[in-house]
Amino acid sequence: MNSNTFRMPARRCAAVTAAAALVAGPVVVAGPAYATGGGGEGRASAVVLRTGLDVSLLNKSVDVPVNAALNEVQAPASAEKTTLSVQVDGVDRGRPVQLLRADVATAKASADRHRTEAYSNLVRARVHVPGLPLLSVVEVEKVTSKAVCEAGRQPVAESNLLGRVTVLGKRTTLSTAGTTRVEVPGVGEVTLDLSKTHTTSRTAAATALELRVSVNPARLNVAEVTGSVTLAEATCESPGTAHDESKPAAAQDPAAAQDPTAAQDPTGKPGTGVKAQSGADPAQDDLAETGGSAATSYIAGGAALLLALGGSVMVLARARARR
């Protein structure tokens, strides 16, 4: 029998097999997917004094805003200036108006990938507003605020006011619940909130003393001063939790690693460890992409089978050709 009778089909089979392998595409072996995510530092800030005041002038029908801050810092930073003076147009012939004088005025803020912290402190502080150069709106012995945010822990905020407090020249006992209102005839009134703190799962904020001011000095060309004054404020935000990139994503489930049959399909039968995602399941954005789709394993398996079949056909054809 002519050997060409078997060689031609063998060549055709080999060509078909090669074509099928090319259509199936190259065999892709995907390595393990590693979880990635955003780490990064958190944020922290502190300020010793902050004002948001409107000053109405006697000889003008306008309000002059006085928005000032002393030792306001963003992490990482610190400041220890003890006085704050501002110039207010139309007040006291343009000379600086002293808003705060203190023996100690400290603000510090720090932040890294594990912890953020803010701290502010005032000792023997006297706060003034434009139009009242001799009478302090408030005098305090010592106030402190602190906010600490650690990754993976509940943030903590605390404020303390120690010693006596004087408001518009009057010795005042502050209420720990609610607000305290102090009124002085012919001068005005001040409402105080003591030691306000607020925390969430990732943030903390503390304010030692917050004042709402409404006074009528009628001096230094000032008709009225309204607004707010904040003493010793500290805020922080927890650092972002970085995922462990040294472990495969599949190894993050200890139960699945110990028992490969733990992952089951919806019918209750042992599965392959691959969980199908339905439309109701949230997408896992922090998993690394492997470069293939769910059909990659089937395509690779089909290509390998066709290659093996093609090799067998060629061996058989050569054997028959030698006869």
mmCIF file of all heavy atoms in Angstrom, residues 300-321:
data_model
loop_
_atom_site.group_PDB
_atom_site.id
_atom_site.type_symbol
_atom_site.label_atom_id
_atom_site.label_comp_id
_atom_site.label_asym_id
_atom_site.label_seq_id
_atom_site.Cartn_x
_atom_site.Cartn_y
_atom_site.Cartn_z
ATOM 1 N N ALA A 300 -7.790 26.910 28.285
ATOM 2 C CA ALA A 300 -6.477 26.302 28.426
ATOM 3 C C ALA A 300 -6.581 24.779 28.407
ATOM 4 O O ALA A 300 -5.777 24.080 27.786
ATOM 5 C CB ALA A 300 -5.820 26.785 29.715
ATOM 6 N N GLY A 301 -7.600 24.242 29.103
ATOM 7 C CA GLY A 301 -7.777 22.782 29.130
ATOM 8 C C GLY A 301 -8.089 22.233 27.757
ATOM 9 O O GLY A 301 -7.580 21.183 27.348
ATOM 10 N N GLY A 302 -8.944 22.936 26.996
ATOM 11 C CA GLY A 302 -9.299 22.480 25.646
ATOM 12 C C GLY A 302 -8.093 22.502 24.726
ATOM 13 O O GLY A 302 -7.878 21.598 23.911
ATOM 14 N N ALA A 303 -7.262 23.552 24.866
ATOM 15 C CA ALA A 303 -6.081 23.645 24.016
ATOM 16 C C ALA A 303 -5.108 22.509 24.307
ATOM 17 O O ALA A 303 -4.530 21.897 23.399
ATOM 18 C CB ALA A 303 -5.399 24.993 24.238
ATOM 19 N N ALA A 304 -4.919 22.201 25.586
ATOM 20 C CA ALA A 304 -4.011 21.115 25.941
ATOM 21 C C ALA A 304 -4.514 19.782 25.406
ATOM 22 O O ALA A 304 -3.749 18.932 24.935
ATOM 23 C CB ALA A 304 -3.856 21.065 27.459
ATOM 24 N N LEU A 305 -5.843 19.544 25.474
ATOM 25 C CA LEU A 305 -6.420 18.296 24.972
ATOM 26 C C LEU A 305 -6.226 18.173 23.471
ATOM 27 O O LEU A 305 -5.866 17.101 22.954
ATOM 28 C CB LEU A 305 -7.908 18.237 25.321
ATOM 29 C CG LEU A 305 -8.656 16.965 24.861
ATOM 30 C CD1 LEU A 305 -8.030 15.731 25.499
ATOM 31 C CD2 LEU A 305 -10.130 17.061 25.223
ATOM 32 N N LEU A 306 -6.431 19.277 22.738
ATOM 33 C CA LEU A 306 -6.248 19.240 21.283
ATOM 34 C C LEU A 306 -4.798 18.994 20.907
ATOM 35 O O LEU A 306 -4.491 18.246 19.967
ATOM 36 C CB LEU A 306 -6.725 20.556 20.677
ATOM 37 C CG LEU A 306 -8.267 20.753 20.659
ATOM 38 C CD1 LEU A 306 -8.610 22.146 20.184
ATOM 39 C CD2 LEU A 306 -8.927 19.710 19.768
ATOM 40 N N LEU A 307 -3.865 19.555 21.655
ATOM 41 C CA LEU A 307 -2.450 19.320 21.383
ATOM 42 C C LEU A 307 -2.085 17.863 21.599
ATOM 43 O O LEU A 307 -1.362 17.248 20.810
ATOM 44 C CB LEU A 307 -1.596 20.224 22.282
ATOM 45 C CG LEU A 307 -1.561 21.712 21.899
ATOM 46 C CD1 LEU A 307 -0.808 22.508 22.955
ATOM 47 C CD2 LEU A 307 -0.923 21.891 20.535
ATOM 48 N N ALA A 308 -2.590 17.271 22.678
ATOM 49 C CA ALA A 308 -2.306 15.859 22.944
ATOM 50 C C ALA A 308 -2.904 14.966 21.858
ATOM 51 O O ALA A 308 -2.286 13.997 21.406
ATOM 52 C CB ALA A 308 -2.856 15.476 24.311
ATOM 53 N N LEU A 309 -4.130 15.261 21.431
ATOM 54 C CA LEU A 309 -4.783 14.480 20.387
ATOM 55 C C LEU A 309 -4.027 14.597 19.079
ATOM 56 O O LEU A 309 -3.828 13.600 18.361
ATOM 57 C CB LEU A 309 -6.226 14.977 20.209
ATOM 58 C CG LEU A 309 -7.054 14.247 19.141
ATOM 59 C CD1 LEU A 309 -7.150 12.757 19.467
ATOM 60 C CD2 LEU A 309 -8.431 14.854 19.017
ATOM 61 N N GLY A 310 -3.544 15.803 18.757
ATOM 62 C CA GLY A 310 -2.785 15.983 17.519
ATOM 63 C C GLY A 310 -1.499 15.178 17.529
ATOM 64 O O GLY A 310 -1.108 14.566 16.530
ATOM 65 N N GLY A 311 -0.822 15.151 18.692
ATOM 66 C CA GLY A 311 0.396 14.366 18.781
ATOM 67 C C GLY A 311 0.152 12.895 18.575
ATOM 68 O O GLY A 311 0.913 12.185 17.909
ATOM 69 N N SER A 312 -0.950 12.383 19.136
ATOM 70 C CA SER A 312 -1.284 10.966 18.985
ATOM 71 C C SER A 312 -1.568 10.631 17.529
ATOM 72 O O SER A 312 -1.176 9.578 17.017
ATOM 73 C CB SER A 312 -2.488 10.624 19.861
ATOM 74 O OG SER A 312 -2.196 10.887 21.216
ATOM 75 N N VAL A 313 -2.256 11.491 16.834
ATOM 76 C CA VAL A 313 -2.587 11.239 15.424
ATOM 77 C C VAL A 313 -1.330 11.179 14.577
ATOM 78 O O VAL A 313 -1.171 10.327 13.700
ATOM 79 C CB VAL A 313 -3.551 12.330 14.915
ATOM 80 C CG1 VAL A 313 -3.721 12.218 13.404
ATOM 81 C CG2 VAL A 313 -4.899 12.183 15.607
ATOM 82 N N MET A 314 -0.384 12.081 14.848
ATOM 83 C CA MET A 314 0.855 12.097 14.081
ATOM 84 C C MET A 314 1.669 10.828 14.320
ATOM 85 O O MET A 314 2.251 10.248 13.401
ATOM 86 C CB MET A 314 1.682 13.334 14.454
ATOM 87 C CG MET A 314 1.050 14.654 13.979
ATOM 88 S SD MET A 314 2.058 16.075 14.400
ATOM 89 C CE MET A 314 3.462 15.762 13.326
ATOM 90 N N VAL A 315 1.730 10.360 15.580
ATOM 91 C CA VAL A 315 2.464 9.120 15.881
ATOM 92 C C VAL A 315 1.851 7.936 15.142
ATOM 93 O O VAL A 315 2.518 7.080 14.556
ATOM 94 C CB VAL A 315 2.494 8.872 17.401
ATOM 95 C CG1 VAL A 315 3.049 7.513 17.714
ATOM 96 C CG2 VAL A 315 3.349 9.955 18.082
ATOM 97 N N LEU A 316 0.511 7.858 15.155
ATOM 98 C CA LEU A 316 -0.203 6.763 14.490
ATOM 99 C C LEU A 316 0.037 6.817 12.998
ATOM 100 O O LEU A 316 0.240 5.774 12.344
ATOM 101 C CB LEU A 316 -1.688 6.856 14.818
ATOM 102 C CG LEU A 316 -2.575 5.767 14.196
ATOM 103 C CD1 LEU A 316 -2.121 4.378 14.671
ATOM 104 C CD2 LEU A 316 -4.030 5.993 14.552
ATOM 105 N N ALA A 317 0.062 7.990 12.411
ATOM 106 C CA ALA A 317 0.246 8.129 10.965
ATOM 107 C C ALA A 317 1.657 7.701 10.562
ATOM 108 O O ALA A 317 1.846 7.019 9.536
ATOM 109 C CB ALA A 317 -0.006 9.559 10.549
ATOM 110 N N ARG A 318 2.622 8.067 11.384
ATOM 111 C CA ARG A 318 3.992 7.673 11.057
ATOM 112 C C ARG A 318 4.163 6.143 11.138
ATOM 113 O O ARG A 318 4.885 5.526 10.355
ATOM 114 C CB ARG A 318 4.979 8.369 11.973
ATOM 115 C CG ARG A 318 5.078 9.894 11.694
ATOM 116 C CD ARG A 318 5.992 10.559 12.686
ATOM 117 N NE ARG A 318 6.080 11.968 12.414
ATOM 118 C CZ ARG A 318 6.762 12.827 13.178
ATOM 119 N NH1 ARG A 318 7.392 12.361 14.259
ATOM 120 N NH2 ARG A 318 6.801 14.107 12.879
ATOM 121 N N ALA A 319 3.497 5.539 12.139
ATOM 122 C CA ALA A 319 3.603 4.078 12.293
ATOM 123 C C ALA A 319 3.016 3.356 11.072
ATOM 124 O O ALA A 319 3.566 2.373 10.589
ATOM 125 C CB ALA A 319 2.895 3.647 13.565
ATOM 126 N N ARG A 320 1.907 3.867 10.632
ATOM 127 C CA ARG A 320 1.292 3.228 9.465
ATOM 128 C C ARG A 320 2.118 3.481 8.199
ATOM 129 O O ARG A 320 2.122 2.653 7.286
ATOM 130 C CB ARG A 320 -0.092 3.791 9.283
ATOM 131 C CG ARG A 320 -1.055 3.330 10.395
ATOM 132 C CD ARG A 320 -2.461 3.850 10.131
ATOM 133 N NE ARG A 320 -3.386 3.382 11.144
ATOM 134 C CZ ARG A 320 -4.679 3.714 11.184
ATOM 135 N NH1 ARG A 320 -5.161 4.525 10.246
ATOM 136 N NH2 ARG A 320 -5.455 3.258 12.140
ATOM 137 N N ALA A 321 2.831 4.585 8.123
ATOM 138 C CA ALA A 321 3.621 4.906 6.928
ATOM 139 C C ALA A 321 4.815 3.979 6.784
ATOM 140 O O ALA A 321 5.321 3.743 5.688
ATOM 141 C CB ALA A 321 4.092 6.358 6.994
#
